[in-house]
Amino acid sequence: MRERAAAAGGELTAGPTPEGGWRVSATLPDGAEPRRPDGPGRRRDVLREQQLADPALVSVATILPLSFVLALTEDWSAAARRATLPALLVVCGLLVLHAVPLLWRRRAPCPVLLAVLATAWAGPAAVAAWHLPSSTAQFLPAGALVETLAVYAVAAYGRGPGRTWPAPVAAALGTAGAMTVASWADRSVGGEPMSAGGAVLLAFLLSVLLAPVFTAMWGAGLVVRRRRLRALAFDEFAFASSMWQADRAAEAERRRLAAALRDAVLEHTRALVGAARRGDLAEVAGTARAALAAMREMLQGLGDGGETGPRLAPSPAVGDLEALCRALRRGGRDVRLRGLPEAGRDLPPSVQVSVYRIVEAALYAGDPGPARVSLRRWRGTLRITVTGVRLAVAGPVAERLRVQAAAGEGRIVCEPAGTLRVVLPAGAVPAPVQEVSP
């Protein structure tokens, strides 16, 4: 205990007390004092911000078109405003109804886009049913901001970024069609009468003008999605790296403790042998008890925590891939493994763990079909090929696999057909060093 206290920069005293018993007193330096911020501030509540973001976005998407309507009607005469007040209220109600689906843009982005495109056709229906005057029907296109936000939500939160490309196309065609039908029902564009040919030309021009806007918002959503997934993947890697460093530190401490206890047991054993040779039975009994106590302490320190303590499992290795594939086959999925045990022979433990985690993440991405795993050693590298894993070559799983391969100083290629190719060095890889803030 004195040695451990001195290693930490402290000191320790131990001895009997006048009242009986034993007292141990240690003084250790406290190097983990919390940092006080330089100025006043508060910690961000990210979850609360996300919960408030969607209602705030709906409010903005509603207030901006209504502000646009009010600004354009300021120059009207009082008699004109009174005459068109019911029609203005109908238009304002349609704009609010058009923006309400954005409340669910994170949880169901694709249905939200469909709902937004469907409510956009409520404007042409109102123009045809209630014969809204042209002076108020012209405000309906102001709701196109909602379609833009819905397209962004599909790209940022939809499932499978590669499958969201129809969103800007559908939004451009749907918005252009709704505007054209509203103008056709009003029988005029900018006060000029519209013919059938003019309606077709208007729909084409609106589609051409709106398509770049929706495409740009879709691209912005993909960029934000990629940054978010990369940040999550690196956070997960940092946490796993910290846990790995902690496990290594704990294992080193266990070995140091085991060595110290082993030396104590051997010292008691040598004293026991010497006392037995001298024929001192009292010293033999005391030394034997001390040796047994030291041995019991060593076994408890090296054990699995007893019957109630946690049982620690060893880190997975390349040889455990057979059991992994066997478990998947018992679950009904055809998974075959080739290349063992030749490819996994004499691999460092860190590389074996990386190989197992990469194959495990690829196979558990959610694909139901058959899969093939192939391992091959070539010129000091281990080549891993996994086929039949379409869900693992894109999205969060692919980002996690890229981080895992980069941590092992390897390369990874994700093919759209559902094939994953990873190249890892077959030699030892230096331990990653990365800190995670509290």
Side-chain angles (χ1 to χ4, degrees):
M1 288 191 295
R2 289 192 183 94
E3 178 187 352
R4 185 171 298 183
E11 57 183 13
L12 180 139
T13 57
T17 62
E19 299 84 6
W22 197 272
R23 176 183 292 123
V24 177
S25 177
T27 303
L28 301 176
D30 182 9
E33 295 182 357
R35 275 186 67 187
R36 297 183 178 274
D38 299 333
R42 64 179 185 86
R43 186 168 181 169
R44 290 183 60 189
D45 190 346
V46 180
L47 295 179
R48 183 174 179 83
E49 290 177 3
Q50 290 180 350
Q51 292 175 356
L52 296 177
D54 294 337
L57 196 63
V58 172
S59 301
V60 171
T62 304
I63 292 174
L64 285 181
L66 295 183
S67 302
F68 175 73
V69 172
L70 294 177
L72 291 181
T73 56
E74 271 191 0
D75 298 334
W76 292 6
S77 63
R81 282 200 294 267
R82 284 194 299 270
T84 58
L85 181 59
L88 286 175
L89 293 178
V90 171
V91 170
C92 293
L94 292 176
L95 293 176
V96 173
L97 177 66
H98 189 46
V100 166
L102 291 178
L103 288 172
W104 296 273
R105 68 186 187 100
R106 294 175 188 266
R107 286 169 285 182
C110 291
V112 164
L113 177 61
L114 296 177
V116 165
L117 294 178
T119 54
W121 288 86
V127 173
W130 294 316
H131 303 287
L132 297 179
S134 302
S135 57
T136 55
Q138 65 178 347
F139 300 131
L140 291 175
L145 174 64
V146 178
E147 279 88 345
T148 306
L149 297 176
V151 170
Y152 172 85
V154 170
Y157 306 107
R159 290 188 177 182
R163 298 194 295 267
T164 60
W165 62 266
V169 178
L173 295 178
T175 306
M179 292 182 182
T180 303
V181 172
S183 300
W184 176 260
D186 192 38
R187 297 295 180 181
S188 67
V189 176
E192 298 295 332
M194 174 184 288
S195 62
V200 174
L201 180 61
L202 178 63
F204 175 76
L205 292 177
L206 288 176
S207 300
V208 172
L209 293 176
L210 292 174
V213 177
F214 290 132
T215 304
M217 290 303 297
W218 176 70
L222 291 181
V223 171
V224 172
R225 177 197 190 101
R226 183 175 180 81
R227 290 184 59 187
R228 182 177 70 252
L229 293 178
R230 185 172 291 278
L232 291 175
F234 273 101
D235 287 345
E236 183 178 349
F237 169 70
F239 178 74
S241 176
S242 300
M243 295 296 296
W244 181 72
Q245 295 283 0
D247 289 341
R248 289 193 62 185
E251 182 63 24
E253 178 66 13
R254 285 167 60 86
R255 290 179 180 178
R256 193 188 72 82
L257 178 62
L261 293 175
R262 180 188 60 194
D263 294 340
V265 170
L266 293 178
E267 182 66 27
H268 285 300
T269 304
R270 283 192 292 268
L272 176 63
V273 173
R277 287 176 178 175
R278 292 192 302 269
D280 190 350
L281 296 181
E283 186 178 354
V284 167
T287 306
R289 282 194 293 269
L292 289 174
M295 187 176 297
R296 185 180 301 111
E297 185 178 357
M298 182 181 68
L299 293 176
Q300 289 178 353
L302 298 178
D304 57 359
E307 295 181 357
T308 59
R311 297 184 177 272
L312 301 179
S315 298
V318 176
D320 297 323
L321 291 177
E322 282 283 2
L324 177 67
C325 297
R326 197 180 306 117
L328 289 172
R329 284 196 295 270
R330 284 198 299 267
R333 186 181 181 189
D334 182 17
V335 179
R336 302 297 175 184
L337 176 65
R338 293 187 304 172
L340 285 182
E342 293 80 7
R345 186 176 293 115
D346 299 329
L347 285 176
S350 59
V351 178
Q352 296 203 29
V353 174
S354 297
V355 173
Y356 182 89
R357 293 305 184 195
I358 288 174
V359 175
E360 180 187 35
L363 293 179
Y364 279 95
D367 295 278
R372 299 292 182 268
V373 181
S374 175
L375 306 177
R376 186 166 64 92
R377 294 278 285 270
W378 187 68
R379 292 186 179 180
T381 60
L382 177 65
R383 299 175 180 269
I384 310 167
T385 304
V386 186
T387 60
V389 286
R390 288 181 175 272
L391 298 180
V393 297
V397 178
E399 293 292 339
R400 189 177 302 115
L401 289 172
R402 290 189 181 96
V403 172
Q404 183 74 36
E409 297 186 352
R411 304 187 306 274
I412 183 172
V413 176
C414 299
E415 299 180 0
T419 301
L420 185 72
R421 303 183 189 276
V422 185
V423 179
L424 294 175
V429 178
V433 178
Q434 190 166 353
E435 295 182 358
V436 180
S437 64

